Amino acid sequence: MPSEPALDFLSVEQTISAAVATRALARALALEPGAPVLEVERMVFAADGQPVEKSRVYYPADRHEYRITLCRGKGAQR
């Protein structure tokens, strides 16, 4: 079975926002309507700068933790 070529992406832009669950979202996430959720929107850009993927996902705020490690400099590690 042939595999898809790896995506050569330049950058990813991600936004995390506080939101409240609509009725439909609450039903999908087993929450009460109006419960707090995290909305994560992500846009992936190819090496030529063109957007190639966009996603928006929701997480129950009481069951999710977001952690990121930021490193400075080429080859930097923690």
Side-chain angles (χ1 to χ4, degrees):
M1 183 162 105
S3 63
E4 291 186 33
L7 176 63
D8 184 19
F9 70 91
L10 175 68
S11 64
V12 176
E13 183 178 291
Q14 183 165 289
T15 303
I16 301 171
S17 304
V20 295
T22 62
R23 286 183 189 169
L25 185 57
R27 189 171 31 256
L29 296 177
L31 300 170
E32 293 293 320
V37 294
L38 295 175
E39 176 184 22
V40 180
E41 186 172 284
R42 179 181 290 181
M43 181 76 78
V44 179
F45 296 90
D48 65 0
Q50 293 297 310
V52 294
E53 181 180 309
K54 180 177 182 177
S55 65
R56 180 178 292 149
V57 295
Y58 296 89
Y59 299 95
D62 65 342
R63 293 180 269 170
H64 187 75
E65 175 181 85
Y66 183 76
R67 182 180 305 188
I68 186 169
T69 301
L70 303 173
C71 297
R72 185 174 170 193
K74 193 172 190 173
Q77 293 183 10
R78 193 169 88 162

